Short mmCIF file of all heavy atoms in Angstrom, two decimals:
data_model
loop_
_atom_site.label_atom_id
_atom_site.label_comp_id
_atom_site.label_asym_id
_atom_site.label_seq_id
_atom_site.Cartn_x
_atom_site.Cartn_y
_atom_site.Cartn_z
N GLU A 214 12.31 -5.32 -18.70
CA GLU A 214 13.51 -5.09 -19.52
C GLU A 214 14.37 -6.35 -19.59
O GLU A 214 14.87 -6.71 -20.66
CB GLU A 214 14.31 -3.93 -18.90
CG GLU A 214 15.29 -3.28 -19.81
CD GLU A 214 14.66 -2.67 -21.06
OE1 GLU A 214 13.60 -2.00 -20.97
OE2 GLU A 214 15.24 -2.87 -22.14
N ALA A 215 14.58 -7.02 -18.48
CA ALA A 215 15.35 -8.28 -18.47
C ALA A 215 15.03 -9.03 -17.19
O ALA A 215 14.52 -8.46 -16.23
CB ALA A 215 16.85 -7.97 -18.52
N GLY A 216 15.34 -10.31 -17.19
CA GLY A 216 15.10 -11.11 -15.98
C GLY A 216 13.64 -11.52 -15.84
O GLY A 216 12.80 -11.19 -16.67
N GLN A 217 13.36 -12.24 -14.76
CA GLN A 217 12.02 -12.76 -14.50
C GLN A 217 11.35 -11.93 -13.42
O GLN A 217 12.03 -11.23 -12.68
CB GLN A 217 12.15 -14.20 -13.94
CG GLN A 217 12.85 -15.16 -14.84
CD GLN A 217 11.88 -15.77 -15.83
OE1 GLN A 217 10.81 -16.21 -15.44
NE2 GLN A 217 12.24 -15.76 -17.10
N SER A 218 10.03 -12.05 -13.31
CA SER A 218 9.32 -11.39 -12.21
C SER A 218 9.83 -11.92 -10.88
O SER A 218 10.05 -13.10 -10.72
CB SER A 218 7.83 -11.65 -12.33
OG SER A 218 7.19 -11.17 -11.16
N LYS A 219 10.05 -10.99 -9.93
CA LYS A 219 10.55 -11.40 -8.61
C LYS A 219 9.40 -11.62 -7.66
O LYS A 219 9.59 -11.96 -6.50
CB LYS A 219 11.51 -10.34 -8.05
CG LYS A 219 12.71 -10.07 -8.97
CD LYS A 219 13.52 -11.34 -9.19
CE LYS A 219 14.66 -11.22 -10.17
NZ LYS A 219 14.35 -10.86 -11.53
N TYR A 220 8.18 -11.38 -8.16
CA TYR A 220 7.01 -11.65 -7.33
C TYR A 220 6.57 -13.07 -7.59
O TYR A 220 5.82 -13.34 -8.51
CB TYR A 220 5.89 -10.66 -7.66
CG TYR A 220 5.74 -9.60 -6.61
CD1 TYR A 220 6.28 -8.35 -6.76
CD2 TYR A 220 5.09 -9.90 -5.41
CE1 TYR A 220 6.17 -7.38 -5.77
CE2 TYR A 220 4.97 -8.95 -4.42
CZ TYR A 220 5.51 -7.70 -4.60
OH TYR A 220 5.40 -6.76 -3.62
N THR A 221 7.02 -13.98 -6.77
CA THR A 221 6.60 -15.37 -6.91
C THR A 221 5.13 -15.44 -6.49
O THR A 221 4.61 -14.53 -5.87
CB THR A 221 7.42 -16.27 -5.98
OG1 THR A 221 7.32 -15.72 -4.66
CG2 THR A 221 8.87 -16.30 -6.39
N LEU A 222 4.49 -16.55 -6.82
CA LEU A 222 3.08 -16.70 -6.47
C LEU A 222 2.89 -16.55 -4.97
O LEU A 222 1.95 -15.89 -4.51
CB LEU A 222 2.58 -18.07 -6.94
CG LEU A 222 1.06 -18.24 -6.86
CD1 LEU A 222 0.33 -17.22 -7.69
CD2 LEU A 222 0.65 -19.64 -7.26
N SER A 223 3.82 -17.11 -4.19
CA SER A 223 3.62 -17.05 -2.74
C SER A 223 3.82 -15.62 -2.23
O SER A 223 3.11 -15.17 -1.34
CB SER A 223 4.55 -18.03 -2.02
OG SER A 223 5.81 -17.48 -1.83
N LYS A 224 4.76 -14.88 -2.83
CA LYS A 224 4.93 -13.47 -2.43
C LYS A 224 3.69 -12.67 -2.78
O LYS A 224 3.27 -11.77 -2.04
CB LYS A 224 6.14 -12.86 -3.13
CG LYS A 224 7.44 -13.06 -2.35
CD LYS A 224 8.59 -12.29 -2.97
CE LYS A 224 9.88 -12.88 -2.51
NZ LYS A 224 10.84 -12.24 -1.85
N MET A 225 3.09 -13.00 -3.93
CA MET A 225 1.92 -12.27 -4.38
C MET A 225 0.74 -12.57 -3.45
O MET A 225 -0.01 -11.67 -3.08
CB MET A 225 1.56 -12.66 -5.81
CG MET A 225 1.06 -11.52 -6.64
SD MET A 225 1.43 -11.80 -8.36
CE MET A 225 0.22 -13.01 -8.81
N LEU A 226 0.60 -13.84 -3.07
CA LEU A 226 -0.49 -14.21 -2.18
C LEU A 226 -0.33 -13.54 -0.81
O LEU A 226 -1.30 -13.07 -0.22
CB LEU A 226 -0.56 -15.74 -2.01
CG LEU A 226 -1.17 -16.49 -3.19
CD1 LEU A 226 -1.10 -17.99 -2.97
CD2 LEU A 226 -2.62 -16.05 -3.39
N THR A 227 0.92 -13.49 -0.33
CA THR A 227 1.16 -12.84 0.96
C THR A 227 0.76 -11.38 0.88
O THR A 227 0.09 -10.85 1.77
CB THR A 227 2.66 -12.92 1.32
OG1 THR A 227 3.07 -14.27 1.15
CG2 THR A 227 2.90 -12.50 2.75
N LEU A 228 1.15 -10.71 -0.21
CA LEU A 228 0.80 -9.29 -0.37
C LEU A 228 -0.72 -9.12 -0.41
O LEU A 228 -1.27 -8.24 0.24
CB LEU A 228 1.44 -8.74 -1.65
CG LEU A 228 1.14 -7.26 -1.92
CD1 LEU A 228 1.97 -6.38 -0.99
CD2 LEU A 228 1.45 -6.88 -3.36
N ALA A 229 -1.37 -10.03 -1.15
CA ALA A 229 -2.82 -9.94 -1.29
C ALA A 229 -3.49 -10.10 0.08
O ALA A 229 -4.38 -9.34 0.45
CB ALA A 229 -3.33 -11.00 -2.25
N LEU A 230 -3.02 -11.08 0.85
CA LEU A 230 -3.61 -11.32 2.17
C LEU A 230 -3.31 -10.16 3.12
O LEU A 230 -4.17 -9.71 3.87
CB LEU A 230 -3.04 -12.61 2.75
CG LEU A 230 -3.96 -13.82 2.60
CD1 LEU A 230 -3.31 -15.04 3.22
CD2 LEU A 230 -5.32 -13.56 3.25
N ASP A 231 -2.07 -9.67 3.08
CA ASP A 231 -1.70 -8.51 3.90
C ASP A 231 -2.61 -7.34 3.57
O ASP A 231 -3.05 -6.61 4.45
CB ASP A 231 -0.26 -8.08 3.62
CG ASP A 231 0.73 -8.90 4.43
OD1 ASP A 231 0.27 -9.73 5.23
OD2 ASP A 231 1.95 -8.70 4.25
N GLY A 232 -2.88 -7.18 2.28
CA GLY A 232 -3.72 -6.09 1.83
C GLY A 232 -5.07 -6.15 2.49
O GLY A 232 -5.60 -5.14 2.94
N ILE A 233 -5.63 -7.34 2.55
CA ILE A 233 -6.96 -7.47 3.13
C ILE A 233 -6.90 -7.35 4.65
O ILE A 233 -7.60 -6.55 5.26
CB ILE A 233 -7.59 -8.82 2.73
CG1 ILE A 233 -7.87 -8.82 1.23
CG2 ILE A 233 -8.87 -9.06 3.52
CD1 ILE A 233 -8.23 -10.16 0.68
N THR A 234 -6.00 -8.09 5.27
CA THR A 234 -6.04 -8.14 6.73
C THR A 234 -5.46 -6.88 7.37
O THR A 234 -5.77 -6.59 8.51
CB THR A 234 -5.29 -9.36 7.27
OG1 THR A 234 -3.98 -9.36 6.71
CG2 THR A 234 -6.01 -10.64 6.91
N SER A 235 -4.60 -6.15 6.64
CA SER A 235 -4.02 -4.96 7.28
C SER A 235 -4.95 -3.76 7.17
O SER A 235 -4.84 -2.82 7.92
CB SER A 235 -2.66 -4.62 6.68
OG SER A 235 -2.82 -3.96 5.46
N MET A 236 -5.84 -3.78 6.20
CA MET A 236 -6.66 -2.59 6.00
C MET A 236 -8.08 -2.75 6.49
O MET A 236 -8.79 -1.78 6.65
CB MET A 236 -6.71 -2.23 4.51
CG MET A 236 -5.40 -1.79 3.92
SD MET A 236 -4.49 -0.64 4.95
CE MET A 236 -5.59 0.76 5.04
N SER A 237 -8.53 -3.98 6.70
CA SER A 237 -9.96 -4.15 6.92
C SER A 237 -10.24 -5.17 8.02
O SER A 237 -9.61 -6.22 8.07
CB SER A 237 -10.59 -4.62 5.61
OG SER A 237 -11.91 -4.99 5.81
N VAL A 238 -11.17 -4.84 8.91
CA VAL A 238 -11.62 -5.83 9.87
C VAL A 238 -12.99 -6.36 9.43
O VAL A 238 -13.68 -7.01 10.18
CB VAL A 238 -11.70 -5.26 11.31
CG1 VAL A 238 -10.32 -5.01 11.86
CG2 VAL A 238 -12.53 -4.00 11.36
N ARG A 239 -13.31 -6.08 8.16
CA ARG A 239 -14.61 -6.49 7.68
C ARG A 239 -14.80 -8.02 7.67
O ARG A 239 -15.89 -8.49 7.95
CB ARG A 239 -14.88 -5.91 6.30
CG ARG A 239 -16.27 -5.30 6.24
CD ARG A 239 -16.52 -4.59 4.96
NE ARG A 239 -16.52 -3.15 5.17
CZ ARG A 239 -17.01 -2.29 4.30
NH1 ARG A 239 -17.48 -2.72 3.15
NH2 ARG A 239 -16.99 -1.01 4.54
N PRO A 240 -13.73 -8.81 7.36
CA PRO A 240 -13.92 -10.27 7.45
C PRO A 240 -14.40 -10.71 8.83
O PRO A 240 -15.27 -11.57 8.93
CB PRO A 240 -12.52 -10.82 7.16
CG PRO A 240 -11.89 -9.79 6.30
CD PRO A 240 -12.42 -8.48 6.79
N LEU A 241 -13.88 -10.09 9.88
CA LEU A 241 -14.33 -10.42 11.24
C LEU A 241 -15.80 -10.06 11.41
O LEU A 241 -16.57 -10.78 12.03
CB LEU A 241 -13.51 -9.65 12.27
CG LEU A 241 -12.09 -10.14 12.55
CD1 LEU A 241 -11.40 -9.21 13.52
CD2 LEU A 241 -12.15 -11.54 13.14
N ARG A 242 -16.14 -8.92 10.85
CA ARG A 242 -17.52 -8.47 10.97
C ARG A 242 -18.47 -9.41 10.22
O ARG A 242 -19.59 -9.64 10.65
CB ARG A 242 -17.63 -7.05 10.43
CG ARG A 242 -18.91 -6.39 10.77
CD ARG A 242 -18.77 -4.91 10.89
NE ARG A 242 -18.17 -4.47 12.14
CZ ARG A 242 -17.87 -3.21 12.38
NH1 ARG A 242 -18.07 -2.30 11.47
NH2 ARG A 242 -17.34 -2.88 13.54
N LEU A 243 -17.97 -9.97 9.10
CA LEU A 243 -18.79 -10.92 8.35
C LEU A 243 -19.11 -12.14 9.21
O LEU A 243 -20.22 -12.66 9.20
CB LEU A 243 -18.05 -11.36 7.07
CG LEU A 243 -18.00 -10.32 5.96
CD1 LEU A 243 -17.25 -10.85 4.75
CD2 LEU A 243 -19.42 -9.91 5.55
#
Side-chain angles (χ1 to χ4, degrees):
E214 199 60 44
Q217 300 275 313
S218 171
K219 302 300 175 299
Y220 255 99
T221 53
L222 190 59
S223 84
K224 271 187 200 239
M225 217 152 76
L226 283 176
T227 311
L228 180 75
L230 260 180
D231 276 357
I233 293 169
T234 54
S235 79
M236 294 316 298
S237 171
V238 290
R239 227 173 253 196
L241 284 176
R242 193 150 282 174
L243 286 180

